[in-house]
Amino acid sequence: QVHGIVRRSSSFNTGRIEHLYKNPQAHIEGNMKLHYGDLTDSTCLVKIINEVKPSEIYNLGAQSHVKISFDLAEYTADVDGVGTLRLLDAIKTCGLINSVKFYQASTSELFGKVQEIPQKETTPFYPRSPYGAAKLYAYWIVVNFREAYNLFAVNGILFNHESPRRGANFVTRKISRSVAKIHLGQLDCFSLGNLDAKRDWGHAKDYVEAMWLMLQTDEPEDFVIATGEVHSVREFVEKSFKHIGKTIVWEGKNENEVGRCKETGKIHVTVNHKYYRPTEVDFLQGDCTKARQKLNWKPRVTFDELVKEMVDADVELMRNNPNA
């Protein structure tokens, strides 16, 4: 049985979990039960945890958009940093220290301005955004509760994990949605920021399995979860267009660079400086050797398969609902 916390909204914000309802049309719950709550409200967290008395808690709640964290810095700190503390304190208040296993969604953004390549569990942190800094507090408060109270608490330092459910304003989904719309004749051109940012992209379903595996071990430890492969935003664009039969040729430099379709001559991609971050993270590459050895985990979905799945899903979505 799975219990989840959902923030109150004037519109239904359960689109990505509709299929988990016993009756999706009527929003009737089965083995999934949702509770109204918020990581900024410690009272509700205590109330929910005391009522449910869970055996495992996965803290996946966050203001998780790095670029937006520069605009919502205080809110990001409150939710991502202090929100984690509120959850841990709620476990302690409810007397569940000895019965709960706690997973904290840490992030490769902790490494930011990378101090070594590739990054592993012992690599020094150097966050480059309010998001990364808030997650750094969360990382260390988890370690503190583990050492101070003997709580089974772990940090999963997950590198970028994507899927068709990725939010529409994240770069990978923005690319797959836009390419799908261009393929269906619903769009001509879209804009991106830093095309040369390089990331270690994996599939979310592989990474969620790793989260679960971390809580099935005898002793709590922190793990880096990654593919070990690095690809640029530019390459993600090229692979996405290739999947719909278009070849992108790049022309110009910096903010004047454009991606032109070789077959038609149309410009499909432009660069807009508003999508750049004030402090950029140029290169992230994870080393998951520890997870391979201790969790017997490895990524199954390749980069090419991930891109194809996301583009195909968005073509289907946009074909049925152009305004999605």
Side-chain angles (χ1 to χ4, degrees), residues 133-272:
K135 284 286 192 175
L136 185 61
Y137 174 84
Y139 172 92
W140 283 116
I141 203 66
V142 167
V143 172
N144 183 248
F145 266 68
R146 182 168 70 211
E147 295 177 351
Y149 306 112
N150 206 29
L151 173 67
F152 192 112
V154 303
N155 286 290
I157 306 173
L158 273 54
F159 280 65
N160 294 57
H161 39 292
E162 314 296 323
S163 85
R165 295 183 195 176
R166 184 55 128 164
N169 61 348
F170 287 82
V171 67
T172 51
R173 186 75 196 291
K174 183 177 181 179
I175 294 168
S176 64
R177 278 167 53 91
S178 300
V179 168
K181 286 189 169 191
I182 288 169
H183 178 62
L184 296 170
Q186 299 168 2
L187 185 73
D188 289 324
C189 184
F190 64 101
S191 297
L192 295 171
N194 183 5
L195 294 170
D196 295 314
K198 293 181 172 63
R199 293 291 184 271
D200 184 329
W201 277 303
H203 197 294
K205 65 183 179 183
D206 286 341
Y207 287 45
V208 171
E209 181 192 23
M211 296 178 193
W212 178 79
L213 285 170
M214 285 180 219
L215 295 195
Q216 313 314 310
T217 58
D218 294 330
E219 296 294 328
E221 292 185 74
D222 304 326
F223 289 91
V224 163
I225 302 298
T227 69
E229 283 186 24
V230 175
H231 302 274
S232 65
V233 173
R234 186 187 301 276
E235 189 178 347
F236 203 104
V237 171
E238 292 167 356
K239 295 257 186 193
S240 299
F241 275 107
K242 185 178 180 183
H243 184 55
I244 62 163
K246 290 180 179 288
T247 306
I248 291 295
V249 178
W250 301 100
E251 301 172 359
K253 286 186 177 183
N254 302 322
E255 288 180 46
N256 296 318
E257 187 168 11
V258 298
R260 190 185 298 275
C261 176
K262 183 179 178 182
E263 290 77 17
T264 65
K266 287 184 178 179
I267 292 175
H268 290 316
V269 186
T270 60
V271 173
N272 191 325

Side-chain angles (χ1 to χ4, degrees), residues 66-77:
V66 178
K67 174 68 167 67
I68 291 171
S69 78
F70 286 94
D71 301 317
L72 300 177
E74 182 184 335
Y75 174 74
T76 301

